[in-house]
Amino acid sequence: MSDFMDFLRHKYAYVARGEFKPGTFDDAKALFDRAVATYHQGFEGAYLLQEPGTDRGIAIVFWDNQEDMEANRNEKLDEILNEMSHLFVKAPETAFYEVSSEIKKHEPVEA
């Protein structure tokens, strides 16, 4: 029954859209990678997307629930986020979403 309940449980996604000062996306990426490395309990994965040819991007971090996201806040993470803040043109737009559908790539079946 626990497998069935796990199937019904939805992940959550923290999404941040922002623009970095010209030429600073690589610095922001390095800081994003460091920040994500501090996540543990309830962390399900992360993506950092860059709009080609720009310094605009979207960060998506997947969590089991919002409480786990908040529980992962710590002094080291705050330091990294503070270090990243001066790279933004303006504060990023952020939101928290429930993942309502997740489709994974199917592996080919050998005949």
Side-chain angles (χ1 to χ4, degrees), residues 67-108:
E67 292 78 21
D68 284 339
M69 181 184 80
E70 292 165 2
N72 275 272
R73 288 299 292 242
N74 60 59
E75 192 175 310
K76 181 64 176 169
L77 177 61
D78 288 341
E79 260 178 45
I80 296 167
L81 295 178
N82 187 46
E83 199 175 332
M84 184 186 289
S85 68
H86 80 278
L87 299 178
F88 286 102
V89 170
K90 63 178 184 178
E93 298 173 18
T94 62
F96 198 69
Y97 297 88
E98 182 176 3
V99 177
S100 60
S101 180
E102 180 178 6
I103 302 168
K104 295 185 178 185
K105 177 182 174 183
H106 295 280
E107 295 297 323

Side-chain angles (χ1 to χ4, degrees), residues 23-87:
T24 63
F25 195 92
D26 288 341
D27 295 334
K29 180 198 173 305
L31 291 166
F32 175 81
D33 293 349
R34 283 181 42 211
V36 168
T38 70
Y39 300 152
H40 299 289
Q41 179 183 332
F43 172 68
E44 293 288 335
Y47 290 92
L48 179 60
L49 311 175
Q50 181 178 13
E51 186 177 318
T54 75
D55 288 297
R56 289 188 295 267
I58 301 171
I60 306 170
V61 183
F62 295 98
W63 297 96
D64 284 338
N65 55 60
Q66 191 167 4
E67 292 78 21
D68 284 339
M69 181 184 80
E70 292 165 2
N72 275 272
R73 288 299 292 242
N74 60 59
E75 192 175 310
K76 181 64 176 169
L77 177 61
D78 288 341
E79 260 178 45
I80 296 167
L81 295 178
N82 187 46
E83 199 175 332
M84 184 186 289
S85 68
H86 80 278
L87 299 178

Side-chain angles (χ1 to χ4, degrees), residues 8-24:
L8 293 177
R9 187 175 55 116
H10 292 268
K11 292 179 189 171
Y12 292 82
Y14 174 79
V15 179
R17 287 178 4 129
E19 182 173 1
F20 295 100
K21 293 176 184 171
T24 63

